[in-house]
């Protein structure tokens, strides 16, 4: 029974975070998500919610920092890696964003956001022919990974 209780604590923390998030209290939600991740750092669902709050709050460095430990163990993750790429893009670190989105494309992530942000990142780095290719691919890509 002790194992069940210990494993349920991160879930309860995440549920509290969800509740605060739904009420528009991002700071409280993020606090609970961080507590949940401290106990269960490999939970990509909770991590993506926390990163989403940081992105909404324009804390791009915080979002990248939160992604790093997870991606150190799973660099090809199709949920968290694109979020890091988005943070890099929004931070205007286009060359680093290209690396993240290109890696996602290389492993077969053929979704609209990957092509769109890869194309936009290439555009900002003045690699126009690649930008055009990716933006055309975005038009034909599925909207979800």
């Amino acid at each position: 029974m002790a194992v069940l209780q210990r494993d349920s604590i991160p879930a309860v923390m995440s549920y509290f975070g969800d509740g605060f998030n739904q009420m528009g209290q991002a700071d409280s939600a993020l606090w609970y998500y961080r507590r949940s991740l401290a106990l269960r750092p490999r939970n990509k669902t909770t991590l993506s919610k926390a990163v989403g709050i940081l992105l909404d709050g324009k804390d791009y460095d915080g979002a990248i920092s939160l992604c790093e430990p997870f991606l150190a163990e799973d660099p090809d993750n199709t949920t968290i890696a694109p979020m890091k790429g988005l943070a890099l893009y929004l931070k205007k670190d286009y060359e680093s964003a290209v690396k993240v989105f290109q890696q996602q494309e290389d492993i077969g992530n053929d979704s609209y956001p990957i092509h769109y942000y890869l194309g936009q990142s290439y555009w900002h780095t003045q690699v126009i022919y690649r930008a055009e290719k990716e933006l055309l691919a975005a038009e034909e890509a599925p909207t979800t990974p």
Side-chain angles (χ1 to χ4, degrees):
M1 194 58 126
V3 171
L4 177 62
Q5 290 173 338
R6 187 174 52 235
D7 287 344
S8 67
I9 291 171
V12 170
M13 294 292 216
S14 186
Y15 289 138
F16 277 131
D18 291 346
F20 281 110
N21 204 12
Q22 289 177 356
M23 292 186 299
Q25 297 180 13
D27 289 342
S28 295
L30 188 57
W31 190 89
Y32 279 103
Y33 289 147
R34 286 183 188 272
R35 294 306 155 284
S36 177
L37 289 167
L39 298 168
R40 190 188 257 160
R42 302 270 312 138
N43 187 327
K44 74 177 179 182
T45 302
T46 302
L47 179 58
S48 67
K49 291 174 188 178
V51 171
I53 289 172
L54 293 170
L55 290 173
D56 288 344
K58 299 181 181 359
D59 182 358
Y60 308 129
D61 289 327
I64 293 164
S65 294
L66 207 52
C67 291
E68 293 289 332
F70 185 94
L71 292 173
E73 293 183 33
D74 187 4
D76 295 336
N77 187 280
T78 59
T79 301
I80 303 305
M83 294 184 89
K84 177 185 175 187
L86 179 59
L88 291 165
Y89 175 82
L90 294 171
K91 186 180 170 183
K92 300 181 186 211
D93 184 353
Y94 302 117
E95 290 181 13
S96 296
V98 163
K99 291 176 187 173
V100 172
F101 291 123
Q102 187 63 61
Q103 181 179 359
Q104 284 292 298
E105 185 179 71
D106 291 347
I107 64 166
N109 189 342
D110 189 38
S111 65
Y112 173 84
I114 298 302
H115 290 295
Y116 177 80
Y117 285 109
L118 183 54
Q120 290 295 322
S121 297
Y122 275 129
W123 183 266
H124 287 289
T125 58
Q126 305 300 312
V127 185
I128 305 305
Y129 75 97
R130 287 298 307 271
E132 290 174 350
K133 176 185 174 246
E134 293 302 329
L135 293 172
L136 288 171
E139 288 181 3
E140 298 176 14
T143 56
T144 58

